[in-house]
Amino acid sequence: MILAVPMVGFIVAPFFARKQEVWRSVGKVDSFKIGETTAVKYEDASPLPWAGVTARSAAWLRRVNADTFIAFSINCTHLGCPVRWLAQANLFMCPCHGGVYYQDGTVAAGPPPLPLPHYPVRVKDGQVQIQTAPIPITKK
Amino acid sequence: MLHRIFSRIRDWVDDRTGLPEAVGKMATHLVPPDAKWWYVFGSATLCAFMIQVISGIALAFSYIPSASEAYSTLQFISDEAPFGHFLRGLHYYGASAMVLMVGLHMAQVFLAGSYKFPRELNWATGVLLLGFTLVMGFTGQLLRWDQNAVWSVVVAAEQTGRVPFIGKWLAHFTLGGDTVGGATLTRFFVVHVFIMPGLIFAFVGLHLWLVLRHGISEPPKPGQLVDPKTYRQEYKELIAKRGRPFWPDAAWRDAVFCVAMIVVIAALGLIFGAPQLEKPPDPSIIAASPRPDWYLLWYFGVLALLPHGSEKYFMVFGPLLVGMLLIALPFLSNRGERSPRRRPWAVAAVLMTVVMIATLWVEGANSPWSPNFNAQPLPPSIVGATNGPVFVGAQLFHDKACLNCHLIGDDGGRRGPDLTDVANRLSKNQMILRISNGGVNMPAYAANLTPAEMDALVAFLQSRRIQRP
């Protein structure tokens, strides 16, 4: 017991710790054109000091109108691969197993069981901010 | 004088450790006389594992299992360290050989019915070793900490996430947190370098102990049935009458095969080297096309080709069911005929498995379901027009990403049907209907095209006609 509790605790404890999500600025409001969808990068909530580039996350951000933004997860709901936005076709496409989503994130074709999740997004002090979030894990 | 000193030292070591005597007994234990080249795959697997241990230890001298530094140490190993590129190649092709040899060993044991009484646990420990080998393969690919590795972890997390009740926790455990990050790589490093090799050593020990305990199975003869009541006595008599010492009568084949395998692995490592590193492990680089290494490419195919909606059940229960069935095999049937000549279903099962994996592997390698993101606009020679609706339609065919999934001649993707001669099959109205409504694997374009665009696109497709005599 004296050995087992600290050892198992050390290994599994980080997985029960609730991380505080934070808002990350991804650019000035004016740097996004209305109607356009662009990839934005930001840092995870509380990266470990040695995380390096792995601490980065990305989202697809669309400026719908003057003050409305939508942030889509880049993770396909089938198996998590990074979906790409095809601007002229108005579609998100997944390189792994051919999942396709319409511009609103709903499933257009292929194996994805759910629409692309949205991330919380807000405008503050002229900056567009996205709230950090866990990688969406599909349960369906 | 020297000779006497050496022999005194040897006697002293013999006496104090007892090892030479024990090893000698093991090495010269009697084996059936006809166990020839078919019996080399087990020792070849062990031989490949030893290559992995040695090359792995060597690589660990330079590899830093840190999320931020692993990639640059891999670059150093590949580009700067003396023999580094070769060593990575050795480790990669050694892994490939190990997977291949486990497969061959298993097929041989299954076909020869060697898993039957009294060797049920030889088989069961072997199945576990197969599982450990595949885990080593997957985690090893992840330690090549590039973009492909990062996305493979995400794919793994999504799969474990499908497990009922504890899925989310498992996915969290796989990633080492909410997202890929500082804690992700180290857990796979621990699994790959400590936990799995430890388990493999332990189970190889157990596996070999069982081989010694029950003896190497004699090559099967049609009509010679296994009866648990009499088998041991029969085997004992066979060995007493015709047995040969393992060393050197049988072991020389193992040694020859092992050396040949090492030569092939080293040649591959030297000529082709290890897989190229992809982009850095930055999860915010979206242009990525994750693929598993070749030994899991067939499973990548399975995941693409499953009927939509059944993935959840398959991903969780598929591997579990296969594993349980394999382990259960000798407990379901441990007696009777061993010869493959009298067990056509056993031969059929192996053939079907090979054909199935090979087919899925080819599909996985071609991955026709993946959109072609590199599709270039069609050249005028293919389009056949430089202005007008057909020309505009051809541009739209590219811009609206139709070309990502459909072939025109040799250009485009293979997700959907080849449209090179679509006008031979579909009328104008049928085309409009299909483009507007889409299908299972095709988006509906009704809201995505203006009427004029639809007309141009259909005009282009109507020009895709091949005159047949």
Side-chain angles (χ1 to χ4, degrees):
Chain A
M1 277 300 276
I2 293 169
L3 290 177
V5 170
M7 279 200 284
V8 174
F10 179 80
I11 294 168
V12 302
F15 309 111
F16 295 102
R18 293 300 327 145
K19 238 192 248 174
Q20 191 68 43
E21 302 299 353
V22 295
W23 291 94
R24 297 274 191 222
S25 295
V26 294
K28 285 183 188 161
V29 173
D30 299 338
S31 61
F32 299 99
K33 283 190 192 153
I34 291 174
E36 273 192 8
T37 307
T38 43
V40 291
K41 301 179 179 195
Y42 52 93
E43 197 170 58
D44 293 336
S46 49
L48 293 166
W50 57 90
V53 291
T54 61
R56 294 183 193 159
S57 279
W60 287 110
L61 182 70
R62 180 179 307 135
R63 186 171 187 185
V64 182
N65 54 42
D67 43 26
T68 314
F69 287 83
I70 307 177
F72 296 95
S73 156
I74 61 163
N75 298 104
C76 182
T77 58
H78 178 223
L79 283 172
C81 291
V83 297
R84 304 186 200 184
W85 169 248
L86 303 178
Q88 288 175 304
N90 287 324
L91 296 168
F92 294 98
M93 273 193 190
C94 179
C96 284
H97 300 109
V100 187
Y101 303 82
Y102 292 117
Q103 60 173 342
D104 63 354
T106 53
V107 179
L114 293 171
L116 283 179
H118 293 192
Y119 291 141
V121 54
R122 71 180 185 190
V123 175
K124 197 179 179 195
D125 304 330
Q127 288 280 332
V128 184
Q129 295 187 325
I130 289 183
Q131 193 178 38
T132 57
I135 288 180
I137 300 293
T138 303
K139 289 296 293 172
K140 199 170 171 183
Chain B
M1 177 69 184
L2 258 178
H3 178 74
R4 209 188 305 156
I5 292 174
F6 274 127
S7 85
R8 279 186 65 188
I9 292 174
R10 197 190 60 207
D11 290 347
W12 186 87
V13 172
D14 271 14
D15 180 67
R16 298 304 194 275
T17 66
L19 275 179
E21 192 195 342
V23 171
K25 258 189 194 166
M26 273 190 261
T28 53
H29 79 281
L30 297 179
V31 300
D34 314 317
K36 292 187 175 161
W37 289 104
W38 283 109
Y39 283 66
V40 298
F41 301 125
S43 68
T45 309
L46 184 59
C47 176
F49 178 60
M50 292 326 292
I51 296 177
Q52 292 310 89
V53 171
I54 295 164
S55 56
I57 289 173
L59 287 169
F61 271 80
S62 283
Y63 183 77
I64 301 177
S66 136
S68 59
E69 285 167 314
Y71 186 76
S72 50
T73 60
L74 274 158
Q75 282 178 318
F76 169 76
I77 293 170
S78 309
D79 303 333
E80 290 176 44
F83 305 113
H85 192 62
F86 170 67
L87 212 55
R88 273 195 61 215
L90 205 62
H91 204 60
Y92 175 73
Y93 292 105
S96 305
M98 194 169 159
V99 174
L100 206 63
M101 290 304 143
V102 168
L104 285 171
H105 180 47
M106 194 171 182
Q108 190 273 328
V109 166
F110 178 69
L111 284 173
S114 306
Y115 60 86
K116 297 192 177 192
F117 179 89
R119 302 185 180 86
E120 296 95 333
L121 286 178
N122 297 39
W123 172 268
T125 50
V127 172
L128 289 177
L129 282 164
L130 166 76
F132 298 155
T133 305
L134 291 178
V135 172
M136 284 299 271
F138 182 68
T139 51
Q141 181 191 342
L142 298 187
L143 296 197
R144 203 192 307 139
W145 192 234
D146 56 6
Q147 186 186 43
N148 197 54
V150 161
W151 287 108
S152 299
V153 178
V154 175
V155 171
E158 290 283 349
Q159 289 184 57
T160 53
R162 298 295 212 285
V163 175
F165 307 116
I166 54 165
K168 207 166 178 181
W169 188 84
L170 281 179
H172 204 78
F173 189 78
T174 307
L175 289 170
D178 282 341
T179 56
V180 173
T184 311
L185 176 60
T186 34
R187 57 203 319 90
F188 288 104
F189 181 76
V190 168
V191 171
H192 188 81
V193 175
F194 296 107
I195 297 177
M196 280 299 145
L199 282 171
I200 291 179
F201 271 116
F203 274 83
V204 164
L206 182 57
H207 199 67
L208 290 179
W209 162 253
L210 291 170
V211 169
L212 287 172
R213 177 169 165 76
H214 300 301
I216 292 175
S217 72
E218 73 283 15
K221 287 201 185 93
Q224 201 172 56
L225 307 186
V226 173
D227 180 352
K229 286 197 194 102
T230 55
Y231 178 81
R232 279 212 164 99
Q233 190 56 36
E234 288 162 11
Y235 185 79
K236 215 169 159 184
E237 283 165 16
L238 169 84
I239 291 297
K241 214 188 294 173
R242 300 181 49 219
R244 296 264 182 282
F246 174 70
W247 178 267
D249 286 31
W252 70 268
R253 288 189 190 83
D254 294 318
V256 168
F257 193 81
C258 174
V259 169
M261 193 179 70
I262 292 174
V263 169
V264 171
I265 292 171
L268 288 170
L270 215 54
I271 299 167
F272 297 108
Q276 288 295 319
L277 286 180
E278 294 188 14
K279 290 177 205 161
D282 178 348
S284 71
I285 301 175
I286 293 169
S289 295
R291 295 284 183 277
D293 278 352
W294 72 266
Y295 33 80
L296 285 176
L297 206 50
W298 61 276
Y299 193 65
F300 170 70
V302 171
L303 295 179
L305 296 171
L306 283 172
H308 300 171
S310 66
E311 287 103 335
K312 177 183 172 178
Y313 305 101
F314 184 89
M315 278 186 243
V316 178
F317 299 111
L320 201 68
L321 203 67
V322 171
M324 281 180 0
L325 264 179
L326 281 176
I327 289 190
L329 175 76
F331 302 100
L332 298 174
S333 135
N334 75 338
R335 59 183 64 214
E337 189 62 67
R338 279 186 56 206
S339 170
R341 287 188 209 166
R342 298 275 175 90
R343 289 163 58 233
W345 283 109
V347 179
V350 171
L351 280 179
M352 281 195 297
T353 309
V354 171
V355 169
M356 187 181 77
I357 290 186
T359 314
L360 285 165
W361 186 84
V362 170
E363 283 293 288
N366 293 330
S367 52
W369 50 81
S370 293
N372 177 358
F373 289 102
N374 299 321
Q376 298 300 316
L378 293 165
S381 58
I382 300 277
V383 177
T386 47
N387 54 37
V390 171
F391 173 72
V392 175
Q395 279 186 318
L396 283 166
F397 194 78
H398 170 267
D399 295 347
K400 293 293 179 186
C402 313
L403 199 56
N404 288 30
C405 297
H406 292 285
L407 274 183
I408 299 285
D410 294 329
D411 297 310
R414 293 165 197 276
R415 173 63 157 159
D418 184 338
L419 301 184
T420 309
D421 59 350
V422 63
N424 290 14
R425 329 191 271 275
L426 295 182
S427 70
K428 190 175 165 186
N429 284 342
Q430 285 172 320
M431 286 181 186
I432 295 174
L433 214 61
R434 173 53 58 91
I435 296 168
S436 303
N437 296 332
V440 177
N441 285 323
M442 175 175 163
Y445 276 85
N448 206 344
L449 292 167
T450 64
E453 285 175 333
M454 178 68 90
D455 286 346
L457 194 56
V458 172
F460 166 69
L461 291 173
Q462 279 295 313
S463 72
R464 299 302 101 190
R465 191 180 293 276
I466 293 176
Q467 297 297 341
R468 293 203 172 90

